[in-house]
Amino acid sequence: MPEGTDLFEIMHTTRAMRRLKPDPVPDELIRKILLAGQAAASGGNTQPWRFLVLKDPKIKKAVQAYYKRAFDEVVGPRYASSPPPPGSDAARYKRQLAAVEYLTDHYHEAPVWIVPVSRTAQILRDRPAPRSILPCRTCCWRRGHSGLARP
């Protein structure tokens, strides 16, 4: 991290981004993000994950239709009928719901999706050796430090 950057400040001040820019993401930046994901610690260095990179607009639009249906049938009604969580109020909760609805309708417009895919079952089948338990490591991306810009 650049000098003077406080990890905890970043973690406490970074908001969820639900309005995404449609700008293309350079392949070199995607590669850099994937390499960072591959560097995450895992027991026995098994790295029980792979990353699926989606750029195809037709595939993203098809997935977005399922995402929208799930939101409309399950998530949206739950949001609408639930009280605000602790630390929030009705007005903030309503704005959050509107932002989530916006993302649901525009999910497919993100230029790149990087989808982590677990392969734990395959690893356990192929290498049934004891595993260590490693602490969770958080990777924070901050504007200007990763090349990703906030809208």
Side-chain angles (χ1 to χ4, degrees), residues 4-130:
T5 301
D6 179 48
L7 174 65
F8 296 104
E9 178 185 348
I10 293 168
M11 292 171 71
H12 286 282
T13 60
T14 300
R15 296 177 36 194
M17 302 308 300
R18 294 189 179 98
R19 294 183 186 265
L20 307 172
K21 289 183 171 184
D23 303 355
V25 178
D27 287 340
E28 187 53 38
L29 178 56
I30 294 169
R31 184 176 183 281
K32 186 176 182 180
I33 292 168
L34 293 172
L35 288 173
Q38 290 173 346
S42 63
N45 196 30
T46 57
Q47 300 188 355
W49 52 78
R50 291 289 182 259
F51 297 98
L52 175 64
V53 177
L54 284 171
K55 292 182 178 182
D56 187 313
K58 291 177 188 172
I59 294 172
K60 292 188 300 178
K61 184 63 179 167
V63 172
Q64 185 268 343
Y66 289 109
Y67 189 83
K68 172 91 171 120
R69 181 176 171 194
F71 180 84
D72 290 345
E73 294 178 6
V74 179
V75 179
R78 233 182 246 167
Y79 245 109
S81 65
S82 297
S88 189
D89 58 41
R92 189 185 317 170
Y93 194 56
K94 188 174 181 177
R95 283 193 310 273
Q96 181 180 347
L97 172 58
V100 171
E101 286 179 303
Y102 178 89
L103 177 62
T104 299
D105 292 337
H106 298 271
Y107 191 58
H108 62 287
E109 295 172 4
V112 178
W113 293 356
I114 300 176
V115 183
V117 180
S118 174
R119 55 184 209 99
T120 302
Q122 174 194 354
I123 288 172
L124 292 175
R125 183 191 67 232
D126 296 345
R127 268 176 65 180

